[in-house]
Amino acid sequence: MTRTTHLTRRQFVSAVAAAGCGPLFLSSARGADEKKSPNDRINLGFIGVGTMGRGHLGGFLGNGEVQVVAVCDVVKERRDDAKRMTEERYGKDKKTEYKGCEAYSDFHKLLARKDIDAVIIATPDHWHTIPCVLAARAGKDIYCEKPLTHDIAEGKVLIEAVRKNKIVFQTGSQQRSEFGGHFRKAVEYVWNGRIGKLKTVHIGVGDPARPCDLPEQEVPEGTDWDMWNGPAPKRGYNEALCPKGIHRHFPAWRNYREYGGGGLADMGAHHFDIAQWAMQTDLSGPAEIIPPEDVKKKSGLRFVTPVAS
């Protein structure tokens, strides 16, 4: 299958972030409810099957447009459970020619597979850029969780890789349409002048990230802690960063500079986006970001950007 036919028979929906329903794939020829032959489906690989990745996996297993062929996680219990979920779901459909789901601890092996068309990346933030860049170089289309990168420099590298390899890339930001449409309604009030002339936008995002000071614990059997640490500074294991086994919560790595950006990069990725949307400055971005003078007492930011007239 050439790259040309690969892209003409299916596509990512470029506006899905605005539509807000998680990663979404559509066929250009047939509806999602119509049965597809294995050769017609998009073969997916999952990199990271913790709370968010497992949620996406469950959604895709009910989508006839795709089939999941590989999963990857540094924790054995998670990848084994994701493999079980996948094979049990497809095993119920006797009409398919499904050959099983492979489970990996190293995402490089998943990306080396020629039969995988696209990947879903739901790793901690410090592990977003490297798999995304390598997936782009391997010709895989990509969905990656927000916040897209750990810092601005990584974002520039990723943009270059996506453009150079001409793959389709999507990042997740569902707040524009979730929560009963309240954010969309608020934006429409601003656009229609219902609140008067917009002068200032105040955004609260939670505490900034801080250096990691967690005590070292024994690494659980079946957890590849060195791989989880990856490009971050080397430190000892703590279950607050990488919970044992299968967990149902969002781990605390977001709170620490080595792995995430605190509230600024977590809920900030949503709230700043809504402000940009309301001000109709999606394509320009903020002109200046001013941090609080005392970050220990304040968790907000001044978000300065030209307001559309």
Side-chain angles (χ1 to χ4, degrees):
M1 179 173 63
T2 67
R3 185 66 187 156
T4 301
T5 56
H6 174 65
L7 283 176
T8 55
R9 73 178 173 84
R10 85 320 178 240
Q11 58 186 298
F12 279 94
V13 176
S14 60
V16 71
C21 52
L24 179 63
F25 302 78
L26 293 180
S27 167
S28 59
R30 288 179 283 188
D33 293 333
E34 186 176 348
K35 290 291 184 180
K36 303 261 190 305
S37 72
N39 289 335
D40 254 349
R41 295 182 180 135
I42 307 164
N43 282 342
L44 292 184
F46 277 73
I47 300 175
V49 284
T51 299
M52 205 70 191
R54 190 167 57 249
H56 289 323
L57 175 63
F60 275 119
L61 290 179
N63 189 325
E65 292 277 295
V66 306
Q67 59 179 1
V68 179
V69 298
V71 295
C72 176
D73 202 281
V74 299
V75 177
K76 184 178 186 302
E77 292 95 329
R78 296 179 204 160
R79 63 177 179 267
D80 287 350
D81 187 62
K83 174 181 171 69
R84 176 197 60 77
M85 284 176 57
T86 303
E87 294 183 338
E88 283 185 3
R89 173 61 182 81
Y90 291 134
K92 295 177 181 178
D93 187 353
K94 304 302 182 182
K95 297 180 180 180
T96 65
E97 300 175 22
Y98 188 63
K99 298 180 180 179
C101 176
E102 195 69 34
Y104 300 97
S105 61
D106 185 344
F107 70 88
H108 295 86
K109 295 179 180 179
L110 184 150
L111 292 179
R113 288 182 50 163
K114 302 298 183 183
D115 62 329
I116 292 179
D117 301 309
V119 292
I120 309 298
I121 298 176
T123 56
D125 298 353
H126 71 292
W127 259 124
H128 280 181
T129 303
I130 293 174
C132 281
V133 169
L134 295 180
R137 291 176 181 173
K140 317 296 186 190
D141 293 333
I142 302 166
Y143 168 87
C144 182
E145 275 299 320
K146 66 83 188 165
L148 187 51
T149 61
H150 194 209
D151 54 52
I152 294 174
E154 288 184 350
K156 293 179 178 180
V157 171
L158 180 53
I159 289 172
E160 180 181 358
V162 169
R163 289 176 175 170
K164 181 177 180 180
N165 293 281
K166 299 180 180 179
I167 55 97
V168 183
F169 188 97
Q170 176 197 350
T171 187
S173 182
Q174 292 83 42
Q175 184 166 285
R176 290 195 178 200
S177 65
E178 288 185 346
F179 307 107
H182 296 307
F183 287 102
R184 173 176 289 277
K185 186 181 295 184
V187 167
E188 290 176 351
Y189 284 166
V190 174
W191 287 356
N192 295 327
R194 296 281 294 276
I195 69 168
K197 184 177 181 180
L198 183 64
K199 296 181 179 181
T200 305
V201 180
H202 293 273
I203 302 169
V205 298
D207 293 332
R210 60 186 187 274
C212 187
D213 57 357
L214 293 170
E216 182 174 352
Q217 298 173 336
E218 183 178 354
V219 180
E221 184 177 355
T223 294
D224 188 342
W225 175 245
D226 286 338
M227 177 61 95
W228 188 97
N229 226 35
K234 186 175 181 179
R235 61 150 291 124
Y237 169 84
N238 188 284
E239 62 183 327
L241 301 174
C242 179
K244 300 175 183 178
I246 300 170
H247 59 285
R248 308 292 178 182
H249 64 283
F250 292 112
W253 53 257
R254 293 168 174 78
N255 299 336
Y256 302 104
R257 294 177 187 172
E258 295 87 343
Y259 320 110
L264 174 66
D266 188 20
M267 291 311 298
H270 291 300
H271 295 335
F272 292 137
D273 172 62
I274 299 300
Q276 291 280 95
W277 190 21
M279 293 186 291
Q280 301 184 53
T281 54
D282 275 347
L283 300 181
S284 65
E288 184 179 10
I289 297 177
I290 305 173
E293 293 181 3
D294 186 349
V295 296
K296 293 182 179 180
K297 295 182 179 179
K298 300 178 182 179
S299 59
L301 291 176
R302 286 182 60 198
F303 186 71
V304 183
T305 191
V307 177
S309 58

